[in-house]
Amino acid sequence: MLYLGRLACHLLHFLVDWRVLNRIPGILTMVQATARTQEALRTAPPVQARLDDLPDNALVQVYLAGDERAFEILVQRYRTRLLNFVYRIVGDRERSEDLVQEAFIRIHRHLARFDRSKKFSTWAYTIASNLAKNELRNRSRSPLVLFTTLAPQWTDDERPLEFEDTGAQPDEAFRQRHLQEAVEASVAQLPAHHREVFVLRELEGRSYEEIAEITRCNLGTVKSRLNRARNAFAEIIEPRLR
């Protein structure tokens, strides 16, 4: 009887050891997975850096999921661009800053309704464009509003027309600044609806499709206005370049 009891005890220990041994591969796998996760967390870039790398529409989604930093990145990404764009339309730097601030307020307010199948930049420019056009209508109801100041301090490096080479000789740098001022002053004399498409295409580098969406015109109208704006611009600037 004593022998049977010892045999049962050995069998019990064997079964326990066998079960443990069978579980070892799974336990090791869990340990290795945990170690890999900890290493990934240790070496991962900061959250802010990862957010900075996201495209606009992904940032919108992250913000709507509750991370307010995503909207701050959108503001940083577009504030200067929209400010330069609005300034080129209304010609008043301080007023342009107010309008861009209002544009971001509206963007923030209606972000949940933004159609993420479209480009965020086009939507943002549309809101800023509408505010700029309202400013012109409210200011004087005139179809022609001249710029009152120039903007030699523009920092939007992405516009297609570049005027100044920082490595140029003094005479060449002077010529480039003169050309920039001539362009800016000539653009200012275009009628508002021509100026808008000219700025969007020639200074902001927007596609015809984006311009059509921003201005709420069809492609034919955009191309027609742009063609007239180019012709008018050429006539205005020609005497300044003699």
Side-chain angles (χ1 to χ4, degrees):
M1 193 71 177
L2 179 61
Y3 172 77
L4 292 175
R6 289 177 179 176
L7 179 61
C9 184
H10 282 302
L11 287 173
L12 179 61
H13 282 295
F14 173 78
L15 289 173
V16 170
D17 292 341
W18 179 76
R19 289 173 181 172
V20 171
L21 287 172
N22 277 344
R23 292 178 59 192
I24 284 177
I27 294 172
L28 289 176
T29 300
M30 293 173 60
V31 171
Q32 292 169 352
T34 301
R36 286 195 297 270
T37 300
Q38 291 175 342
E39 177 65 15
L41 290 174
R42 185 179 66 82
T43 59
V47 174
Q48 185 69 26
R50 295 200 299 271
L51 287 178
D52 286 338
D53 294 335
L54 291 178
D56 297 340
N57 287 21
L59 285 172
V60 172
Q61 187 171 352
V62 170
Y63 171 75
L64 294 176
D67 193 336
E68 295 185 359
R69 291 170 299 178
F71 187 77
E72 295 174 3
I73 293 174
L74 287 171
V75 173
Q76 294 170 5
R77 192 172 288 179
Y78 282 97
R79 184 182 183 280
T80 299
R81 302 183 196 180
L82 292 181
L83 180 59
N84 287 336
F85 168 64
V86 172
Y87 175 70
R88 291 163 184 164
I89 299 299
V90 304
D92 183 322
R93 196 74 180 184
E94 291 185 3
R95 185 58 184 147
S96 297
E97 291 176 351
D98 293 338
L99 292 173
V100 170
Q101 180 69 20
E102 176 62 25
F104 279 116
I105 290 174
R106 296 190 182 191
I107 290 170
H108 184 271
R109 183 184 304 153
H110 301 295
L111 200 57
R113 297 190 301 187
F114 166 60
D115 182 358
R116 291 194 291 279
S117 67
K118 299 183 178 180
K119 294 179 65 173
F120 173 83
S121 61
T122 302
W123 185 56
Y125 269 86
T126 300
I127 293 174
S129 175
N130 289 337
L131 288 169
K133 286 186 285 189
N134 287 339
E135 171 69 14
L136 294 184
R137 283 194 292 266
N138 294 336
R139 183 184 296 176
S140 64
R141 302 288 178 179
S142 171
L144 180 63
V145 179
L146 299 181
F147 281 88
T148 56
T149 58
L150 298 176
Q153 74 277 16
W154 282 352
T155 57
D156 183 3
D157 295 331
E158 297 185 4
R159 66 180 186 271
L161 293 182
E162 296 293 344
F163 303 103
E164 188 165 355
D165 178 3
T166 55
Q169 296 299 317
D171 289 346
E172 178 63 16
F174 175 80
R175 188 192 69 81
Q176 291 172 354
R177 284 195 297 271
H178 172 70
L179 175 60
Q180 178 180 351
E181 292 177 359
V183 169
E184 292 165 355
S186 299
V187 169
Q189 295 182 49
L190 295 173
H193 58 291
H194 288 170
R195 187 191 316 147
E196 181 181 28
V197 296
F198 187 89
V199 168
L200 284 169
R201 180 63 181 175
E202 305 300 343
L203 300 181
E204 295 290 332
R206 296 290 154 181
S207 68
Y208 290 114
E209 290 75 14
E210 286 182 288
I211 296 172
E213 188 170 348
I214 291 170
T215 60
R216 297 180 180 178
C217 297
N218 58 49
L219 280 176
T221 300
V222 168
K223 292 179 179 180
S224 174
R225 288 183 179 179
L226 184 58
N227 185 57
R228 293 179 181 178
R230 284 169 172 165
N231 290 335
F233 173 80
E235 293 180 2
I236 295 170
I237 199 172
E238 193 272 336
R240 299 174 183 271
L241 300 180
R242 290 174 181 171

